C-alpha cells in the first residue's frame, strides 16, 4: 500500500462504510492519517464534550456532514437539570472558521440559539441540510434566517424540538428562488403557519419527497398541498379533527389517491375517527405509520386502518390499541420490523390496555420484528421467553412496565428469567431497556450473553454492586450505560475503571455512589470528566455540608480529550 | 326549623340509629356503598393517589407528554333536566372531585339547602328523589360510577347520567338499607 499514490489510498478509503473503520485506518501510519483526515466527509461526535470543537474541525477541514450530540439520553425525561450545557455555539463557530464547505449539520439534545442559526446560515454557502432533534433555545426567527440565506437548502428537519414560536412569518422567508427543497418537517412548531406561503413554497419545490406539517394546518390546505406533490413519499398530516365538512374530506381522499409514492404517514394530531376511512385507500402501500398522537382513535378505528396495512414495516401507536388490536396487527402486518406502543396515561401505575398478551401475539405473527419500544401494564417471564423464541432478530428491545418494580403478573417472581431469555436468544441485541422487578441475576445473564450490547438502560433494578459489575465486566461492546434508582454504589463504580475509557458515557442518578467514590474515580482516571449534580445550588455547599460519604444525586462520567469543560453551571461539579 | 336539632343528634350518633335519620333522606351524589371516607373499594389496588408521579417516570419525553392534550369532555344528563351539560373528566383527580363538580353544576336544577355552617346538599324539593351517578362505557353498557379505578373509568366513560335511584336496578347496598 505504501507504493500507491495518495489519491488511490483515498479512493480505497472511500469504500469504508463506517466512522469506526475510518478511525481505525487513520491509526496505521502518519501517511494514512493525513490521507484519511483530509478526505473525511462525514464526522460523527457522539458527545460534544469529548473533544474540543476546534480540534475536530482542524483535523477534518473538508468535512461536509457534521453530527453532534449533547445532553445525555435521560435529559429527555427531565432528569438533567436545565442549563446543564450542550451548547451548539462553539461547534458552529469553529466550523464557520475552518470548514467553509460544510453542507449538513445534525444536532441532537443541544442548546441552539437564534444567533447560532444566523451564523450557520451566513457561513456556509453550500449548506444543504439542517436536522435538529430534541434541541431547544431557538425561535422561529432563527428558522427565518436559515430560510432566507441557505440558497441551496434541501432539508430542514425539526424533530421534537422546543421552539419559541414568534409567529408565522418565518416560512415566508424562503425566497422565490428557493426551489431545491426535498424534505421539510416543522411538526414541532406550535403555532400557525401562513398557509398561502406554505402552498407557494410547496408549488415551487418539485423535488419535495418528505413533508411533515404541524397541528395548525387545515384539511383544506393539506388538500391543496397534496395536489401539488403527487410524488410525496412521506407525509405528516396537519389537523384532522372532525370540525370539517364531509366535502373537505372527500377532496382530501381524491388527492391522496393520486399519491402513489406515499409510503409513510404520520401526524394525525387528535385525529377524529371520522377521518379514518379517507385514509383507507392508502393503507396497502404504507411501510410506515405513526398514530401515536391520536388518543381519540380507539381500538376499532385503529384496527380497521392497520388491518389494511399489509406492507407495514414500522408502526407507532398508543396503548388504546389494546391487546386485541395488537393481535390484528400480528395477523395483518407480516413485514413489521419496528413497533412502538406508547402510553396514553402517564401516571405511575396508570391503567394501560396493553399487557404481555399483545406482545406475545405480535411476536408470533411478526417474525421479522427487530426493534421494539413497548409500554405496558404488566409482563410475565413466560411471555418474554416466547417472544425471544419467536423473534431472535431483535436489535433494540425496550420494555417499560408502567409500575416500577412490578413482578411477573402470573407468578409474582422477578422478571430475571424473561429478560435472560431475550439476551440469550437475541444474539444481535445492541440496545436494551428493562423494567419491572429485577434482581442481580438478570445482570448476570446480560454480562454472560449480551455480547453485542452497546446501550443499556436500567431503572429500579438490582440488589447490589455485583449487578452492575456483571455488566461492566461482561459486555465488551458497551458504550452507554444509564442507571436510575438502583442500589449500585462505589464498589460498582470503581470495580472496573479501565472500562470507562472504552465507553462513551455512564449516567447514574438516585443510586448509592458517594462523593468520595467519585473523587477516587476522578483521581484514578484523568481522561474522564466526572460530573456531579446535586440538588443544592452552589458547589461550595456540596463540600461544606456534605461529607465524603454523602450520596451523589446525579453522576455523569464520560471520556474526553478536552479536559473539564468551562461552560458548566454552578450546580455541576467536575472532579 | 326542625332540621337543626335532628342534625345535631345525627352528628353524635351512628347513621342508622333512627328511621328519621336526616342523612339517609338527604339528597346527595355519592358512590354506592361509600360513607364519608373517600376510599374507593379498590383502594388497595389503586396507586397512592391518582396523580402519583415519580420524576421522569414513565420514560416519556416531554414533547410527547405535552402533545397529548389531557382533556376528555363527556355529556352529563340529569333525569328531568331540560338540557345536558359537559364536563372534562381530565380536570378531576378522582371520583370525589367529579361528584362535587356535578353537584355545583346542577345547583340550578336542584335547590341548594344550606344546613349547618358548611354543608350543602342537593335536594329536589318537589319529589325528594335521590340521584345515582351512572355512565355509558365503550361497549354501550350503562354502569354504576365508582366500581373501577379512576383512570380506568376516565378511559372507558363516554357519557354520564344522573339517574333516579328508582330507575336503577341492582343497586349496591346503601348505608341506610
Amino acid at each position: 500500500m505504501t507504493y500507491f499514490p495518495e489519491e488511490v489510498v483515498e479512493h480505497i478509503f472511500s469504500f469504508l462504510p463506517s466512522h469506526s473503520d475510518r478511525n481505525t485506518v487513520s491509526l496505521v501510519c502518519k501517511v494514512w492519517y493525513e490521507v484519511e483526515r483530509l478526505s473525511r466527509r462525514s464526522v460523527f461526535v457522539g458527545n460534544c464534550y469529548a473533544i474540543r470543537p476546534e480540534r475536530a474541525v482542524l483535523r477534518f477541514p473538508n468535512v461536509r456532514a457534521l453530527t453532534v450530540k449533547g445532553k445525555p439520553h435521560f435529559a429527555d425525561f427531565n432528569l438533567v437539570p436545565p442549563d446543564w450545557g450542550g451548547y451548539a455555539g462553539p461547534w458552529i463557530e469553529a466550523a464557520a472558521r475552518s470548514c467553509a464547505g460544510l453542507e449538513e449539520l445534525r444536532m441532537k439534545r443541544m442548546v441552539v440559539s437564534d444567533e447560532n442559526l444566523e451564523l450557520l446560515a451566513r457561513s456556509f454557502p453550500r449548506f444543504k441540510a439542517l436536522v435538529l432533534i430534541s434541541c431547544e433555545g431557538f425561535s422561529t426567527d432563527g428558522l427565518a434566517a436559515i430560510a432566507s440565506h441557505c440558497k441551496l437548502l434541501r432539508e430542514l428537519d425539526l424533530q421534537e424540538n422546543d421552539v419559541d414560536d414568534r409567529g408565522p412569518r418565518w416560512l415566508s422567508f424562503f425566497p422565490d428562488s428557493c426551489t431545491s427543497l426535498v424534505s421539510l418537517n416543522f411538526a414541532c412548531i406550535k403555532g400557525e403557519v401562513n398557509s398561502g406561503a406554505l402552498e407557494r413554497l410547496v408549488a415551487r419545490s418539485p423535488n419535495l419527497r418528505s413533508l411533515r406539517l404541524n397541528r395548525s394546518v387545515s384539511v383544506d390546505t393539506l388538500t391543496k398541498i397534496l395536489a401539488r406533490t403527487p410524488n410525496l413519499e412521506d407525509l405528516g398530516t396537519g389537523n384532522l379533527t372532525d370540525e370539517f365538512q364531509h366535502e373537505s374530506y372527500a377532496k382530501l381522499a381524491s388527492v391522496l389517491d393520486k399519491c402513489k409514492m406515499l409510503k409513510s404517514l404520520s401526524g394525525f394530531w387528535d385525529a377524529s375517527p371520522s377521518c379514518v376511512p379517507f385514509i383507507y385507500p392508502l393503507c396497502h402501500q404504507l411501510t410506515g405509520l405513526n398514530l401515536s398522537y391520536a388518543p381519540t382513535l380507539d381500538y376499532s378505528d385503529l384496527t380497521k386502518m392497520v388491518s389494511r396495512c399489509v406492507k407495514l414495516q414500522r408502526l407507532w401507536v398508543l396503548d388504546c390499541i389494546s391487546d386485541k388490536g395488537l393481535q390484528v396487527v400480528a395477523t395483518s402486518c407480516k413485514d413489521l420490523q419496528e413497533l412502538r406502543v406508547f402510553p396514553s396515561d402517564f401516571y405511575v401505575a396508570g391503567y394501560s390496555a396493553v399487557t404481555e398478551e399483545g406482545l406475545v401475539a405480535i411476536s408470533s405473527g411478526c417474525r421479522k420484528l427487530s426493534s421494539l419500544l413497548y409500554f405496558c401494564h404488566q409482563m410475565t417471564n413466560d411471555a418474554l421467553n416466547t417472544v425471544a423464541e419467536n423473534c431472535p432478530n431483535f436489535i433494540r428491545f425496550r420494555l417499560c412496565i408502567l409500575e416500577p418494580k412490578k413482578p411477573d403478573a402470573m407468578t409474582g417472581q422477578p422478571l430475571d428469567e424473561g429478560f435472560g431469555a431475550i439476551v440469550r436468544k437475541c444474539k444481535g441485541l445492541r440496545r436494551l431497556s428493562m423494567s419491572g422487578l429485577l434482581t442481580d441475576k438478570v445482570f448476570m445473564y446480560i454480562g454472560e450473553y449480551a455480547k453485542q450490547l452497546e446501550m443499556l438502560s436500567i431503572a429500579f433494578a438490582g440488589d447490589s454492586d455485583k449487578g452492575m459489575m456483571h455488566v461492566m465486566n461482561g459486555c465488551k461492546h458497551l458504550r452507554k450505560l444509564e442507571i436510575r434508582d438502583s442500589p449500585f454504589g462505589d464498589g460498582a463504580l470503581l470495580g472496573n475503571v479501565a472500562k470507562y475509557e472504552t465507553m462513551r458515557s455512564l449516567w447514574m442518578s438516585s443510586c448509592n455512589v458517594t462523593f468520595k467514590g467519585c473523587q477516587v474515580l476522578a483521581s484514578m482516571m484523568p481522561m474522564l470528566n466526572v460530573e456531579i449534580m446535586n440538588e443544592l445550588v452552589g458547589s461550595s455547599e456540596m463540600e461544606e455540608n456534605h461529607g465524603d460519604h454523602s450520596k451523589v444525586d446525579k453522576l455523569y462520567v464520560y471520556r474526553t480529550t478536552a479536559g473539564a469543560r468551562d461552560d458548566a453551571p454552578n450546580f455541576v461539579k467536575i472532579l | 326549623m326542625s332540621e337543626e336539632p335532628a342534625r345535631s343528634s345525627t352528628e353524635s350518633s351512628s347513621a342508622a340509629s333512627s328511621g328519621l335519620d336526616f342523612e339517609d333522606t338527604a339528597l346527595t351524589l355519592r358512590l354506592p356503598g361509600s360513607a364519608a371516607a373517600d376510599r374507593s373499594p379498590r383502594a388497595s389496588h389503586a396507586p397512592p393517589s391518582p396523580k402519583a408521579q415519580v420524576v421522569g417516570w414513565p420514560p416519556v419525553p416531554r414533547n410527547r407528554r405535552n402533545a397529548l392534550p389531557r382533556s376528555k369532555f363527556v355529556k352529563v344528563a340529569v333525569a328531568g333536566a331540560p338540557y345536558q351539560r359537559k364536563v372534562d373528566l381530565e380536570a378531576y383527580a378522582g371520583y370525589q372531585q367529579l361528584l362535587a363538580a356535578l353537584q355545583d353544576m346542577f345547583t340550578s336544577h336542584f335547590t341548594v339547602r344550606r344546613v349547618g355552617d358548611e354543608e350543602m346538599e342537593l335536594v329536589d324539593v318537589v319529589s325528594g328523589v335521590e340521584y345515582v351517578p351512572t355512565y355509558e362505557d365503550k361497549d354501550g353498557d350503562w354502569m354504576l360510577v365508582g366500581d373501577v379505578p379512576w383512570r380506568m373509568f376516565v378511559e372507558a366513560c363516554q357519557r354520564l347520567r344522573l339517574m333516579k335511584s328508582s330507575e336503577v336496578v341492582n343497586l349496591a347496598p346503601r348505608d341506610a338499607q
Side-chain angles (χ1 to χ4, degrees):
Chain A
M1 280 285 275
T2 28
Y3 301 115
F4 288 177
E6 287 181 9
E7 302 81 57
V8 175
V9 176
E10 182 182 316
H11 185 66
I12 295 172
F13 287 172
S14 68
F15 291 99
L16 293 172
S18 72
H19 299 285
S20 60
D21 288 337
R22 289 196 73 116
N23 292 344
T24 306
V25 300
S26 68
L27 295 173
V28 168
C29 63
K30 281 210 172 91
V31 173
W32 281 27
Y33 179 89
E34 282 299 304
V35 171
E36 197 284 315
R37 78 176 188 92
L38 293 172
S39 61
R40 178 94 77 132
R41 296 283 176 260
S42 168
V43 171
F44 173 83
V45 180
N47 174 4
C48 64
Y49 291 120
I51 183 171
R52 287 209 175 279
E54 305 76 49
R55 197 166 151 185
V57 302
L58 284 172
R59 178 173 168 185
F60 303 112
N62 300 317
V63 63
R64 304 263 162 84
L66 176 63
T67 303
V68 188
K69 296 169 87 170
K71 299 183 203 177
H73 174 234
F74 275 177
D76 286 354
F77 317 131
N78 295 335
L79 290 178
V80 176
D83 302 327
W84 171 84
Y87 300 106
W91 287 91
I92 295 176
E93 286 152 25
R97 280 191 292 271
S98 311
C99 312
L102 191 70
E103 295 179 7
E104 301 174 22
L105 181 64
R106 290 173 178 78
M107 296 196 140
K108 187 168 184 180
R109 288 193 204 98
M110 295 194 73
V111 179
V112 185
S113 70
D114 286 344
E115 291 73 38
N116 299 152
L117 292 175
E118 279 262 356
L119 181 63
L120 175 69
R122 290 181 195 279
S123 306
F124 307 105
R126 295 213 294 268
F127 197 74
K128 295 195 175 75
L130 179 62
V131 179
L132 297 176
I133 304 174
S134 302
C135 295
E136 56 177 348
F138 62 102
S139 78
T140 44
D141 290 348
L143 299 179
I146 297 285
S148 36
H149 300 295
C150 299
K151 310 256 178 272
L152 301 174
L153 197 68
R154 287 211 290 245
E155 186 178 344
L156 179 60
D157 186 0
L158 306 169
Q159 297 178 33
E160 300 171 20
N161 301 293
D162 199 0
V163 185
D164 185 17
D165 194 322
R166 304 244 176 104
R169 279 173 37 256
W170 67 275
L171 202 64
S172 314
F173 278 82
F174 282 103
D176 291 341
S177 54
C178 175
T179 57
S180 46
L181 272 182
V182 173
S183 168
L184 177 63
N185 173 1
F186 62 90
C188 64
I189 302 293
K190 299 176 192 100
E192 307 252 316
V193 289
N194 184 318
S195 49
L198 178 60
E199 290 166 40
R200 286 190 296 278
L201 178 61
V202 169
R204 63 177 186 277
S205 304
N207 298 322
L208 198 64
R209 294 291 171 267
S210 169
L211 179 63
R212 296 192 182 192
L213 309 170
N214 75 353
R215 276 180 205 265
S216 74
V217 177
S218 68
V219 171
D220 290 335
T221 304
L222 175 61
T223 305
K224 288 191 194 133
I225 288 172
L226 288 174
R228 305 276 201 171
T229 56
N231 294 329
L232 206 63
E233 292 169 13
D234 167 49
L235 173 68
T237 69
N239 200 318
L240 291 178
T241 59
D242 61 359
E243 290 162 22
F244 298 96
Q245 320 273 340
H246 188 276
E247 199 189 300
S248 293
Y249 276 114
K251 283 196 199 138
L252 177 65
S254 82
V255 296
L256 278 175
D257 199 45
K258 301 197 175 61
C259 295
K260 300 295 181 200
M261 313 274 287
L262 200 54
K263 295 246 178 345
S264 165
L265 211 50
S266 60
F268 292 97
W269 314 101
D270 303 320
S272 150
S274 48
C275 81
V276 163
F278 296 100
I279 311 290
Y280 290 164
L282 275 182
C283 290
H284 72 279
Q285 63 195 56
L286 293 180
T287 56
L289 183 58
N290 182 354
L291 297 168
S292 62
Y293 290 101
T296 35
L297 298 181
D298 68 7
Y299 144 81
S300 118
D301 305 313
L302 292 168
T303 49
K304 284 197 199 115
M305 219 193 292
V306 161
S307 57
R308 292 170 155 82
C309 297
V310 292
K311 290 204 188 127
L312 209 58
Q313 292 172 16
R314 190 173 42 84
L315 176 64
W316 292 21
V317 279
L318 288 171
D319 59 7
C320 319
I321 195 170
S322 79
D323 287 333
K324 276 194 299 182
L326 290 174
Q327 271 159 10
V328 174
V329 174
T331 44
S332 316
C333 309
K334 294 302 183 190
D335 285 341
L336 198 68
Q337 291 168 24
E338 177 181 328
L339 174 67
R340 297 195 190 192
V341 180
F342 292 97
S344 46
D345 183 344
F346 303 131
Y347 301 120
V348 170
Y351 172 66
S352 169
V354 152
T355 70
E356 78 278 9
E357 290 181 15
L359 187 58
V360 168
I362 288 283
S363 73
S364 72
C366 309
R367 297 300 174 110
K368 296 185 191 171
L369 199 62
S370 62
S371 176
L372 180 75
L373 172 60
Y374 196 78
F375 285 82
C376 61
H377 186 251
Q378 64 186 46
M379 189 48 58
T380 66
N381 285 305
D382 215 44
L384 286 173
N385 200 26
T386 307
V387 169
E389 289 280 354
N390 289 339
C391 297
N393 298 321
F394 273 115
I395 294 176
R396 283 176 288 274
F397 191 89
R398 296 195 278 166
L399 185 73
C400 181
I401 302 166
L402 291 171
E403 188 185 324
K405 299 200 194 179
K406 194 166 187 177
D408 180 318
M410 267 193 332
T411 66
Q413 294 297 303
L415 290 171
D416 301 334
E417 298 306 315
F419 281 104
I422 294 284
V423 294
R424 201 167 31 245
K425 308 223 167 98
C426 304
K427 301 201 193 303
L429 194 68
R430 296 210 296 256
R431 182 170 181 183
L432 178 64
S433 277
M434 307 188 293
S435 55
L437 184 64
L438 296 164
T439 72
D440 283 348
K441 209 172 192 196
V442 74
F443 298 110
M444 189 184 78
Y445 292 140
I446 291 173
E448 194 173 336
Y449 295 108
K451 290 307 179 191
Q452 300 300 317
L453 195 66
E454 294 177 7
M455 182 170 178
L456 179 62
S457 306
I458 299 168
F460 305 100
D463 305 313
S464 73
D465 288 345
K466 287 210 195 84
M468 185 171 154
M469 286 316 303
H470 286 306
V471 173
M472 292 288 283
N473 293 337
C475 299
K476 297 289 172 236
H477 287 101
L478 193 66
R479 290 190 297 115
K480 287 182 279 183
L481 180 58
E482 47 185 26
I483 306 173
R484 62 166 293 178
D485 293 274
S486 300
F488 306 134
D490 295 339
L493 183 68
L494 301 171
N496 184 355
V497 295
K499 178 81 174 164
Y500 299 120
E501 272 195 293
T502 68
M503 288 167 60
R504 183 186 299 172
S505 65
L506 166 73
W507 170 277
M508 293 179 79
S509 57
S510 306
C511 296
N512 292 341
V513 293
T514 69
F515 191 71
K516 177 77 177 166
C518 296
Q519 278 180 320
V520 170
L521 177 62
S523 63
M524 287 174 81
M525 303 289 287
M527 73 294 291
L528 302 178
N529 274 358
V530 178
E531 293 196 8
I532 290 177
M533 287 162 260
N534 269 4
E535 303 291 60
L536 294 174
V537 175
S539 55
S540 55
E541 278 193 74
M542 270 192 249
E543 280 171 54
E544 275 172 37
N545 298 356
H546 287 242
D548 284 348
H549 300 290
S550 59
K551 289 207 191 135
V552 161
D553 287 337
K554 295 171 197 206
L555 169 67
Y556 185 48
V557 179
Y558 53 91
R559 66 181 177 192
T560 180
T561 58
R565 58 188 175 105
D566 52 16
D567 60 3
N570 56 5
F571 58 79
V572 171
K573 189 167 169 61
I574 304 177
L575 300 175
Chain B
M1 301 271 291
S2 60
E3 286 94 357
E4 295 205 62
R7 184 75 195 141
S8 51
S9 73
T10 51
E11 271 169 358
S12 53
S13 64
S14 68
S17 60
S18 76
L20 288 175
D21 200 274
F22 184 74
E23 274 189 296
D24 296 330
T25 54
L27 186 68
T28 54
L29 289 174
R30 190 163 61 180
L31 300 177
S34 70
D38 55 0
R39 289 231 160 270
S40 75
R42 286 279 188 109
S44 55
H45 299 286
S49 100
K51 284 196 190 294
Q53 287 189 34
V54 172
V55 172
W57 193 268
V60 173
R62 193 180 26 220
N63 72 293
R64 187 166 282 282
R65 281 182 191 260
N66 297 340
L68 293 189
R70 313 278 306 165
S71 76
K72 182 169 182 175
F73 279 91
V74 295
K75 292 182 189 167
V76 186
V78 176
Y83 48 81
Q84 299 184 27
R85 300 292 300 271
K86 266 199 163 171
V87 289
D88 178 2
L89 295 180
E90 292 288 354
Y92 309 109
Y95 289 113
Q96 291 306 115
Q97 290 90 331
L98 171 64
L99 296 179
L102 289 175
Q103 285 189 331
D104 283 343
M105 200 172 258
F106 288 98
T107 49
S108 59
H109 176 68
F110 301 110
T111 300
V112 178
R113 183 155 61 195
R114 183 174 276 282
V115 182
D117 287 329
E118 289 159 339
E119 291 194 19
M120 293 206 299
E121 284 159 351
L122 292 174
V123 179
D124 184 325
V125 290
V126 174
S127 61
V129 173
E130 188 170 320
Y131 286 78
V132 168
T134 63
Y135 71 100
E136 184 183 11
D137 74 2
K138 288 190 170 183
D139 297 324
D141 298 321
W142 285 94
M143 317 287 292
L144 213 51
V145 167
D147 285 336
V148 299
W150 171 251
R151 293 306 315 170
M152 199 183 281
F153 162 74
V154 172
E155 237 271 292
C157 175
Q158 301 300 292
R159 60 174 75 202
L160 285 162
R161 189 167 140 81
L162 305 181
M163 298 174 88
K164 295 181 193 171
S165 60
S166 55
E167 291 176 20
V168 180
V169 196
N170 296 329
L171 197 58
R174 302 204 58 109
D175 290 350
Q177 294 152 15

